[in-house]
Amino acid sequence: LYRRILRLHRALPAALRALGDRYVREEFRKHKAAQPAEAQRFLREWEATLIQQQIDEDKQNVREKTVYGAQLTEEKLNDFRDEQIGQLKELMDEATKPKSSITISKESEHK
């Protein structure tokens, strides 16, 4: 799953790819020692992402601007812990920075 997600990121614009790769690495690292129930939920949520579908749509709709991501329902947001809400806010802030502010570190680049 981890490798599949990183492969999917190859089709993203460079800044989003770097941000996404860094986020995925951190999240998978944090959940290495998770309890089985939490690990199952973590994997299920990642598998449910719509990134592949959106990338396919992007290839078909070259003229239209693609919006990546999905709206979270209030029910899902209520299930998040305070720490997760904070991480989501940080991710949103990073993803919505003006293009000139996003920096791609050497660590984020794929070899």
Side-chain angles (χ1 to χ4, degrees):
L1 178 63
Y2 176 77
R3 277 185 267 172
R4 193 172 80 205
I5 292 168
L6 292 178
R7 265 189 244 120
L8 290 174
H9 285 184
R10 292 177 188 166
L12 295 172
L16 283 178
R17 177 182 177 183
L19 176 64
D21 287 355
R22 188 173 59 235
Y23 181 74
V24 169
R25 277 190 212 99
E26 289 173 10
E27 285 300 300
F28 272 77
R29 197 172 296 133
K30 286 178 188 176
H31 286 82
K32 262 187 171 178
Q35 296 297 319
E38 186 178 356
Q40 285 298 321
R41 184 170 182 193
F42 173 79
L43 293 173
R44 189 172 51 247
E45 290 298 323
W46 274 103
E47 288 172 347
T49 61
L50 300 175
I51 293 174
Q52 179 63 55
Q53 178 184 350
Q54 292 173 338
I55 290 171
D56 291 342
E57 289 173 6
D58 186 29
K59 289 177 184 173
Q60 293 172 1
N61 303 319
V62 177
R63 293 181 186 172
E64 296 177 31
K65 183 179 178 186
T66 301
V67 177
Y68 294 97
Q71 290 290 338
L72 292 173
T73 64
E74 190 171 333
E75 181 181 314
K76 281 198 181 221
L77 284 173
N78 288 335
D79 287 342
F80 287 179
R81 295 185 310 265
D82 288 341
E83 177 188 346
Q84 291 171 311
I85 295 291
Q87 289 175 329
L88 193 59
K89 169 95 171 77
E90 287 177 29
L91 181 61
M92 182 189 74
D93 291 345
E94 189 71 26
T96 56
K97 280 184 182 178
K99 286 184 182 181
S100 60
S101 312
I102 297 175
T103 57
I104 302 171
S105 68
K106 294 280 183 196
E107 180 181 308
S108 299
E109 294 177 8
H110 248 11
K111 296 178 181 175

